[in-house]
Amino acid sequence: MRIPTRSREREEAATGAPSRPGLTLAAVAVVQFMVSLDLSVVNVGLPQIATGLGFGAVGLTWVIHAYALTFGGLLLLGGKAADRYGRRRLLLIGLGLFGLASLAGGFALEPGHLVAARAAQGIGAAALAPAALALLATTFPGGRARVRAFGIWSATNAAGAAFGVLIGGLLTEYAGWRWVMFVNVPMAAVALALAWRGVAADPPAARGGRPDVLGAVLATAGMTSLVFGIVRTEEYPWTSPVTVTTLAVSAALLAAFVHVERTTTREPLIRLGLFAGRAVTGANAYTLLIGAALAASFYFASLYLQNVLGAGPAAAGLMFLPMAVGVVAGSVLAVKLGYRLAPRTLLVIGGPLAAAGFAWFGLISPDGTFVTDVLGPSIIAGTGIGLCLGPAVSIATAGLAPHESGTASGLLNSSRQIGASLGLAVLGTAAHQRTGPIATPETLNDGYALGMTLSAALVAAAVLIVITVVPRARTSR
């Protein structure tokens, strides 16, 4: 096998530093665990955060939205910057910003401080996540090594979101809510050290048009306005002038984003022709719906455990352990099945499992218990989600030109984060309307059960998209 060795030698000579696939994979795994962790680590601690900093009921949700929206809205710019200026460079910059923002958030004294720190975390994640995934796609271009690498990525990706609730609960109860921010600092430092030693130096910066910063601003502002309008329907009805105006502004901003992408003289954030491929379109639509269902279900399950069953933060976090184990088990199973089954087939298998688990969650009751109402659906939903994440990435990035891998990675991550924010806004609003003005364990349970049932419906819709849109592709090479 001398040809791959000579090829690697030529690559190392061109970049000026050796490529170490093992360390690269380790760095990417830590990065993905960390950015996924921060989508859910604050959930269990939200009541304590509200008390400690004086958040209102509406303002508190922006602790989640500030991260998800800046992360998702700027991921396209991060992917393009990774392709243009170098993946290693963007990875290191993003890790530094993420670590500093986490440190600042831990020392927050007012609600605005924490929301700003969470937004800065999202900006850092938008730089490092697509760079990390693009490095994975180019370091492991095919064969069994690619299946294994994406399996590890999906396991850490899903485990970060699942274990985030567990870690957040333990930290909140035994160390204080500020540690849900501080915990990122050592992880960022470890990933920085691994990337510094293991990722090959970038080739010379590419010449050409500058990335479309205006498009990134329009996309982020448009999605933020949309979420703001949806969340505010708890105070202003859908037909009120405030809501109608906010949603109209959002639509105008998003339309302007599409126009800019078509006409800009700069390097567009994404080549709109990518959506002509059914695999890319289907994988992103699938990921958006899965992200919406997953974020909303974690939120509702956490509140059900604490507000209805009366569990403390640490106990609630421990009760999420079966879901975390199910997610990791599903990801490992996806690796083993991925050697024989096409990624599309794994999505069709995993999606119904996840939908069944969320539908079972929709049967929760005020006098339920962990064993009867949480344990079973957690294992089934977690396993189904674990089966889905890695294959979706493989479908969305396979067959693309190397210079577009960062863009495609950013697009897929963006779909997931925007889906998470939209899902939480829409399903949270529906659950609140079901709960009504008087919050009792019974009315809260009704709202959370509705949210879980709607999560199941979103996953079922995602499966239909895969069946009807994603082509019966050849197995991953």
Side-chain angles (χ1 to χ4, degrees):
M1 303 294 288
R2 297 186 182 276
I3 293 177
T5 301
R6 291 172 183 168
S7 176
R8 179 170 293 176
E9 288 172 355
R10 287 194 297 269
E11 178 185 351
E12 292 171 6
T15 59
S19 174
R20 300 178 180 178
L23 290 181
T24 299
L25 178 57
V28 170
V30 174
V31 164
Q32 197 58 46
F33 181 85
M34 182 176 66
V35 298
S36 296
L37 177 86
D38 265 60
L39 278 173
S40 59
V41 73
V42 300
N43 277 348
V44 175
L46 286 176
Q48 288 75 12
I49 291 173
T51 301
L53 295 182
F55 273 98
V58 174
L60 187 61
T61 62
W62 287 96
V63 176
I64 298 175
H65 291 314
Y67 178 75
L69 286 171
T70 53
F71 189 3
L74 297 175
L75 267 168
L76 295 175
L77 181 62
K80 182 60 65 178
D83 287 337
R84 175 67 58 182
Y85 301 116
R87 291 145 192 174
R88 183 178 188 270
R89 185 177 295 112
L90 263 290
L91 185 68
L92 297 178
I93 291 172
L95 283 169
L97 177 58
F98 196 96
L100 290 175
S102 299
L103 190 65
F107 288 113
L109 299 177
E110 298 179 3
H113 295 168
L114 183 57
V115 171
R118 290 284 287 170
Q121 279 185 321
I123 295 172
L128 65 92
L133 190 52
L135 281 170
L136 192 68
T138 54
T139 303
F140 303 94
R144 295 174 65 90
R146 179 181 175 90
V147 174
R148 177 176 175 272
F150 274 105
I152 292 173
W153 177 90
S154 65
T156 55
N157 182 19
F163 282 106
V165 183
L166 170 62
I167 294 170
L170 294 173
L171 289 174
T172 299
E173 184 153 331
Y174 297 114
W177 69 262
R178 295 181 184 275
W179 279 93
V180 302
M181 300 295 291
F182 289 145
V183 71
N184 296 301
V185 178
M187 286 191 291
V190 170
L192 195 63
L194 289 169
W196 188 269
R197 289 182 56 85
V199 178
D202 295 313
R207 301 288 182 181
R210 292 172 292 176
D212 179 22
V213 177
L214 175 60
V217 172
L218 288 172
T220 305
M223 294 308 305
T224 301
S225 299
L226 178 59
V227 170
F228 183 76
I230 294 171
V231 170
R232 295 277 285 181
T233 56
E234 297 181 1
E235 184 177 353
Y236 300 100
W238 288 99
T239 56
S240 70
V242 173
T243 300
V244 171
T245 301
T246 303
L247 297 180
V249 169
S250 172
L253 289 169
L254 294 175
F257 164 71
V258 174
H259 176 72
V260 167
E261 292 306 291
R262 290 180 177 274
T263 60
T264 182
T265 57
R266 294 192 172 198
E267 187 74 20
L269 294 180
I270 182 170
R271 182 174 61 85
L272 296 179
L274 282 177
F275 291 104
R278 292 168 55 194
V280 173
T281 300
N284 277 276
Y286 183 91
T287 300
L288 186 143
L289 292 176
I290 290 291
L294 188 60
S297 64
F298 276 19
Y299 180 76
F300 293 128
S302 174
L303 293 179
Y304 172 72
L305 291 171
Q306 295 185 81
N307 295 340
V308 178
L309 297 189
L318 286 170
M319 290 177 184
F320 268 88
L321 189 57
M323 180 175 286
V325 172
V327 167
V328 175
S331 299
V332 173
L333 183 59
V335 175
K336 296 184 179 299
L337 294 177
Y339 296 129
R340 298 186 297 272
L341 300 177
R344 179 183 183 276
T345 303
L346 292 177
L347 297 187
V348 174
I349 295 173
L353 272 179
F358 291 143
W360 190 354
F361 260 127
L363 302 178
I364 54 176
S365 63
D367 55 352
T369 65
F370 168 73
V371 174
T372 59
D373 291 52
V374 178
L375 180 59
S378 293
I379 294 173
I380 292 176
T383 303
I385 291 295
L387 279 169
C388 294
L389 296 177
V393 176
S394 184
I395 290 173
T397 59
L400 295 178
H403 70 276
E404 286 191 317
S405 59
T407 303
S409 302
L411 177 62
L412 194 72
N413 268 310
S414 182
S415 296
R416 183 187 172 200
Q417 307 309 330
I418 290 173
S421 194
L422 285 176
L424 182 57
V426 174
L427 272 61
T429 300
H432 178 79
Q433 292 175 348
R434 170 66 67 87
T435 299
I438 301 177
T440 65
E442 290 75 16
T443 59
L444 289 173
N445 180 86
D446 289 344
Y448 304 153
L450 174 63
M452 289 295 193
T453 302
L454 293 176
S455 295
L458 289 178
V459 177
V463 175
L464 288 177
I465 287 175
V466 170
I467 294 173
T468 58
V469 176
V470 177
R472 295 180 179 273
R474 52 200 176 276
T475 56
S476 179
R477 290 180 295 173

